[in-house]
mmCIF file of all heavy atoms in Angstrom:
data_model
loop_
_atom_site.group_PDB
_atom_site.id
_atom_site.type_symbol
_atom_site.label_atom_id
_atom_site.label_comp_id
_atom_site.label_asym_id
_atom_site.label_seq_id
_atom_site.Cartn_x
_atom_site.Cartn_y
_atom_site.Cartn_z
ATOM 1 N N ARG A 118 66.909 122.967 165.699
ATOM 2 C CA ARG A 118 66.405 121.848 164.978
ATOM 3 C C ARG A 118 66.043 122.298 163.651
ATOM 4 O O ARG A 118 65.160 123.157 163.491
ATOM 5 C CB ARG A 118 65.192 121.350 165.831
ATOM 6 C CG ARG A 118 64.227 120.413 165.055
ATOM 7 C CD ARG A 118 64.640 119.005 165.129
ATOM 8 N NE ARG A 118 63.553 118.029 165.014
ATOM 9 C CZ ARG A 118 62.868 117.666 163.954
ATOM 10 N NH1 ARG A 118 63.129 118.255 162.760
ATOM 11 N NH2 ARG A 118 61.981 116.696 163.982
ATOM 12 N N VAL A 119 66.623 121.748 162.579
ATOM 13 C CA VAL A 119 66.243 122.020 161.192
ATOM 14 C C VAL A 119 64.969 121.331 160.920
ATOM 15 O O VAL A 119 64.895 120.126 161.115
ATOM 16 C CB VAL A 119 67.357 121.673 160.204
ATOM 17 C CG1 VAL A 119 67.003 122.114 158.807
ATOM 18 C CG2 VAL A 119 68.632 122.299 160.661
ATOM 19 N N ASN A 120 63.971 122.060 160.434
ATOM 20 C CA ASN A 120 62.657 121.377 160.223
ATOM 21 C C ASN A 120 62.264 121.082 158.765
ATOM 22 O O ASN A 120 61.314 120.451 158.565
ATOM 23 C CB ASN A 120 61.568 122.273 160.841
ATOM 24 C CG ASN A 120 61.711 122.489 162.291
ATOM 25 O OD1 ASN A 120 61.829 121.449 163.026
ATOM 26 N ND2 ASN A 120 61.764 123.727 162.756
ATOM 27 N N HIS A 121 63.043 121.612 157.861
ATOM 28 C CA HIS A 121 62.634 121.294 156.487
ATOM 29 C C HIS A 121 63.792 121.194 155.544
ATOM 30 O O HIS A 121 64.933 121.690 155.901
ATOM 31 C CB HIS A 121 61.689 122.473 155.918
ATOM 32 C CG HIS A 121 62.302 123.831 156.100
ATOM 33 N ND1 HIS A 121 63.300 124.279 155.248
ATOM 34 C CD2 HIS A 121 62.157 124.787 157.069
ATOM 35 C CE1 HIS A 121 63.666 125.480 155.682
ATOM 36 N NE2 HIS A 121 62.969 125.742 156.765
ATOM 37 N N ASN A 122 63.575 120.490 154.493
ATOM 38 C CA ASN A 122 64.690 120.336 153.434
ATOM 39 C C ASN A 122 64.829 121.707 152.736
ATOM 40 O O ASN A 122 63.905 122.536 152.770
ATOM 41 C CB ASN A 122 64.230 119.302 152.438
ATOM 42 C CG ASN A 122 64.344 117.856 152.940
ATOM 43 O OD1 ASN A 122 65.055 117.619 153.891
ATOM 44 N ND2 ASN A 122 63.694 117.004 152.280
ATOM 45 N N ILE A 123 66.040 121.909 152.103
ATOM 46 C CA ILE A 123 66.118 123.055 151.214
ATOM 47 C C ILE A 123 65.406 122.798 149.892
ATOM 48 O O ILE A 123 65.754 121.781 149.268
ATOM 49 C CB ILE A 123 67.618 123.326 150.953
ATOM 50 C CG1 ILE A 123 68.194 123.646 152.339
ATOM 51 C CG2 ILE A 123 67.735 124.473 149.959
ATOM 52 C CD1 ILE A 123 69.818 123.676 152.198
ATOM 53 N N SER A 140 72.638 115.783 156.375
ATOM 54 C CA SER A 140 71.355 115.131 156.638
ATOM 55 C C SER A 140 71.102 114.809 158.052
ATOM 56 O O SER A 140 71.908 114.040 158.625
ATOM 57 C CB SER A 140 71.088 113.943 155.597
ATOM 58 O OG SER A 140 71.896 112.889 156.045
ATOM 59 N N PHE A 141 70.130 115.478 158.599
ATOM 60 C CA PHE A 141 69.781 115.138 160.022
ATOM 61 C C PHE A 141 68.727 113.979 159.976
ATOM 62 O O PHE A 141 67.844 113.944 159.148
ATOM 63 C CB PHE A 141 69.076 116.335 160.661
ATOM 64 C CG PHE A 141 70.054 117.398 161.076
ATOM 65 C CD1 PHE A 141 70.305 118.485 160.191
ATOM 66 C CD2 PHE A 141 70.629 117.315 162.322
ATOM 67 C CE1 PHE A 141 71.171 119.485 160.616
ATOM 68 C CE2 PHE A 141 71.596 118.335 162.710
ATOM 69 C CZ PHE A 141 71.813 119.360 161.896
ATOM 70 N N HIS A 142 68.978 113.015 160.795
ATOM 71 C CA HIS A 142 68.024 111.868 160.981
ATOM 72 C C HIS A 142 67.557 111.945 162.372
ATOM 73 O O HIS A 142 68.367 111.826 163.302
ATOM 74 C CB HIS A 142 68.722 110.622 160.613
ATOM 75 C CG HIS A 142 69.168 110.474 159.213
ATOM 76 N ND1 HIS A 142 68.531 109.761 158.212
ATOM 77 C CD2 HIS A 142 70.193 111.110 158.536
ATOM 78 C CE1 HIS A 142 69.190 109.887 157.051
ATOM 79 N NE2 HIS A 142 70.225 110.695 157.289
ATOM 80 N N SER A 170 74.340 113.113 153.737
ATOM 81 C CA SER A 170 73.364 113.079 152.643
ATOM 82 C C SER A 170 73.907 112.443 151.381
ATOM 83 O O SER A 170 73.197 112.296 150.388
ATOM 84 C CB SER A 170 72.804 114.471 152.299
ATOM 85 O OG SER A 170 73.555 115.075 151.275
ATOM 86 N N THR A 174 70.217 105.460 150.911
ATOM 87 C CA THR A 174 69.041 105.358 151.808
ATOM 88 C C THR A 174 69.082 104.097 152.621
ATOM 89 O O THR A 174 68.834 104.059 153.780
ATOM 90 C CB THR A 174 67.681 105.419 151.024
ATOM 91 O OG1 THR A 174 67.854 106.290 149.937
ATOM 92 C CG2 THR A 174 66.530 105.831 151.879
ATOM 93 N N TYR A 183 62.737 108.406 162.307
ATOM 94 C CA TYR A 183 61.417 108.891 162.076
ATOM 95 C C TYR A 183 61.294 109.894 160.925
ATOM 96 O O TYR A 183 60.402 110.037 160.272
ATOM 97 C CB TYR A 183 60.955 109.532 163.375
ATOM 98 C CG TYR A 183 59.538 110.059 163.430
ATOM 99 C CD1 TYR A 183 58.413 109.241 163.728
ATOM 100 C CD2 TYR A 183 59.323 111.449 163.396
ATOM 101 C CE1 TYR A 183 57.123 109.830 163.837
ATOM 102 C CE2 TYR A 183 58.022 112.038 163.536
ATOM 103 C CZ TYR A 183 56.928 111.169 163.695
ATOM 104 O OH TYR A 183 55.688 111.699 163.798
ATOM 105 N N GLU A 184 62.354 110.681 160.846
ATOM 106 C CA GLU A 184 62.399 111.793 159.879
ATOM 107 C C GLU A 184 63.773 112.125 159.429
ATOM 108 O O GLU A 184 64.731 112.046 160.182
ATOM 109 C CB GLU A 184 61.722 113.042 160.552
ATOM 110 C CG GLU A 184 61.445 114.172 159.621
ATOM 111 C CD GLU A 184 60.960 115.469 160.245
ATOM 112 O OE1 GLU A 184 61.114 115.563 161.380
ATOM 113 O OE2 GLU A 184 60.437 116.353 159.532
ATOM 114 N N GLU A 185 63.873 112.454 158.096
ATOM 115 C CA GLU A 185 65.194 112.939 157.548
ATOM 116 C C GLU A 185 65.047 114.390 157.087
ATOM 117 O O GLU A 185 64.021 114.681 156.396
ATOM 118 C CB GLU A 185 65.656 112.046 156.416
ATOM 119 C CG GLU A 185 66.924 112.589 155.872
ATOM 120 C CD GLU A 185 67.316 111.878 154.528
ATOM 121 O OE1 GLU A 185 66.661 110.898 154.115
ATOM 122 O OE2 GLU A 185 68.386 112.242 154.025
ATOM 123 N N VAL A 186 65.961 115.269 157.456
ATOM 124 C CA VAL A 186 65.867 116.678 156.965
ATOM 125 C C VAL A 186 67.305 117.012 156.358
ATOM 126 O O VAL A 186 68.309 116.796 157.084
ATOM 127 C CB VAL A 186 65.507 117.651 157.964
ATOM 128 C CG1 VAL A 186 65.658 119.027 157.445
ATOM 129 C CG2 VAL A 186 64.161 117.407 158.547
ATOM 130 N N VAL A 187 67.279 117.369 155.073
ATOM 131 C CA VAL A 187 68.556 117.741 154.465
ATOM 132 C C VAL A 187 68.805 119.241 154.351
ATOM 133 O O VAL A 187 67.887 119.945 153.998
ATOM 134 C CB VAL A 187 68.607 117.128 152.972
ATOM 135 C CG1 VAL A 187 69.951 117.512 152.328
ATOM 136 C CG2 VAL A 187 68.389 115.642 152.978
ATOM 137 N N THR A 188 69.831 119.680 154.873
ATOM 138 C CA THR A 188 70.236 121.083 154.814
ATOM 139 C C THR A 188 71.673 121.290 154.310
ATOM 140 O O THR A 188 72.219 120.286 153.881
ATOM 141 C CB THR A 188 69.989 121.800 156.164
ATOM 142 O OG1 THR A 188 70.060 123.211 155.972
ATOM 143 C CG2 THR A 188 70.919 121.314 157.224
HETATM 144 C C1 NAG B 306 64.010 115.531 152.873
HETATM 145 O O1 NAG B 306 64.561 114.893 151.734
HETATM 146 C C2 NAG B 306 64.772 113.533 151.925
HETATM 147 C C3 NAG B 306 65.437 112.957 150.601
HETATM 148 O O2 NAG B 306 66.454 113.828 150.197
HETATM 149 C C4 NAG B 306 63.515 112.829 152.176
HETATM 150 O O3 NAG B 306 63.777 111.496 152.473
HETATM 151 C C5 NAG B 306 62.898 113.487 153.447
HETATM 152 O O4 NAG B 306 61.653 112.856 153.659
HETATM 153 C C6 NAG B 306 62.661 114.899 153.239
HETATM 154 N N1 NAG B 306 62.220 115.495 154.496
HETATM 155 C C7 NAG B 306 61.247 116.375 154.674
HETATM 156 C C8 NAG B 306 60.984 116.888 156.049
HETATM 157 O O5 NAG B 306 60.556 116.687 153.718
#
Side-chain angles (χ1 to χ4, degrees):
R118 163 88 152 78
V119 182
N120 295 309
H121 53 79
N122 287 341
I123 298 166
S140 70
F141 284 94
H142 296 254
S170 93
T174 324
Y183 180 83
E184 192 186 12
E185 178 190 358
V186 177
V187 181
T188 188

